[in-house]
Amino acid sequence: MSDNFLALAKQRRTIYALGKDLPVTEEVVIETIKEAIRQAPSAFNSQSSRALILLGKEHVKFWELTREQLRKIVPQESFKATSDKLDGFAAAAGSVLFFEDQEVVKGLQEQFAAYADNFPVWSEHSTGIAQYAVWLALAEKGIGANLQHYNPLVDADVQRSWDIPANWKLRGHMNFGSIVAPAGEKAFMDDDKRFVVAR
């Protein structure tokens, strides 16, 4: 089993060249995302992770909203490069927007006051684990993905457009789709700079 997991971990890469031809049905993708998030561990089993799954025109709409927000802050002379990048994201089949429910975090802070300062940190751990779980699950289905962070720039638009509760804090958005072109070679830093082993 461990060999299978590590093989899948190696298979999961940041894929930027994505298309709309998913190798499985949208229903399978939706259930895969939901189950990956359900199974992702969280501090005190808080289950603080939330998700908005966008497909088709709703996915494209998200990137159009992002484009309009970026148009306000990116200099006009360099906006084309930014816009082209967003076109690449919009070319994917869909996206998952990951949130953390701040009511859950605050509730835990009140219930376990001794750990109050830790719960926001542990919430960030929860979303990271949920994002990685979804990424691995999509990779296992032969679906490519990349993770982006245009929050908090797009938060208000997302909340308004999809009726997202105010207590959901956007933490990242993952595009997914068919793999049009694979990722390049991945370089790794030397182990002696990264790991300490004590026996």
Side-chain angles (χ1 to χ4, degrees):
M1 288 294 286
S2 62
D3 287 346
N4 292 341
F5 175 78
L6 291 176
L8 182 58
K10 291 175 185 176
Q11 181 182 329
R12 184 227 56 85
R13 298 292 308 280
T14 296
I15 308 291
Y16 289 110
L18 296 172
K20 300 189 184 301
D21 299 321
L22 292 168
V24 296
T25 66
E26 288 184 351
E27 289 70 26
V28 168
V29 172
I30 292 165
E31 190 51 42
T32 297
I33 292 166
K34 288 180 177 180
E35 188 63 16
I37 293 172
R38 280 188 208 106
Q39 297 303 327
S42 57
F44 288 63
N45 192 32
S46 61
Q47 301 177 50
S48 54
S49 294
R50 306 286 182 263
L52 168 64
I53 303 168
L54 301 173
L55 296 154
K57 63 181 176 48
E58 296 297 307
H59 161 73
V60 173
K61 176 181 174 180
F62 170 75
W63 287 110
E64 288 307 313
L65 292 172
T66 305
R67 190 189 316 271
E68 291 313 306
Q69 288 299 329
L70 287 168
R71 194 185 303 277
K72 298 173 186 177
I73 62 170
V74 175
Q76 186 176 357
E77 61 273 13
S78 56
F79 185 71
K80 185 181 183 319
T82 297
S83 187
D84 289 348
K85 185 177 183 181
L86 298 180
D87 285 343
F89 298 149
S95 49
V96 188
L97 278 63
F98 294 91
F99 303 81
E100 282 292 299
D101 189 336
Q102 298 308 294
E103 279 191 7
V104 172
V105 175
K106 288 173 186 172
L108 288 167
Q109 288 177 309
E110 292 167 3
Q111 188 176 358
F112 303 100
Y115 302 112
D117 291 344
N118 297 105
F119 283 112
V121 177
W122 293 339
S123 169
E124 293 300 306
H125 296 174
S126 294
T127 191
I129 294 168
Q131 290 168 27
Y132 187 61
V134 168
W135 210 338
L136 286 174
L138 291 175
E140 194 273 332
K141 301 286 184 195
I143 298 170
N146 62 71
L147 186 63
Q148 304 302 318
H149 301 88
Y150 288 97
N151 49 297
L153 187 66
V154 298
D155 289 19
D157 285 336
V158 168
Q159 185 178 351
R160 184 172 51 252
S161 297
W162 290 284
D163 197 24
I164 299 300
N167 48 292
W168 288 22
K169 184 177 182 182
L170 183 59
R171 307 314 299 139
H173 19 281
M174 181 180 294
N175 300 302
F176 61 83
S178 52
I179 300 172
V180 175
E185 288 298 314
K186 187 173 183 178
F188 295 93
M189 64 188 302
D190 292 341
D191 282 359
D192 60 358
K193 295 179 180 175
R194 195 168 188 183
F195 306 107
V196 174
V197 179
R199 297 180 193 270

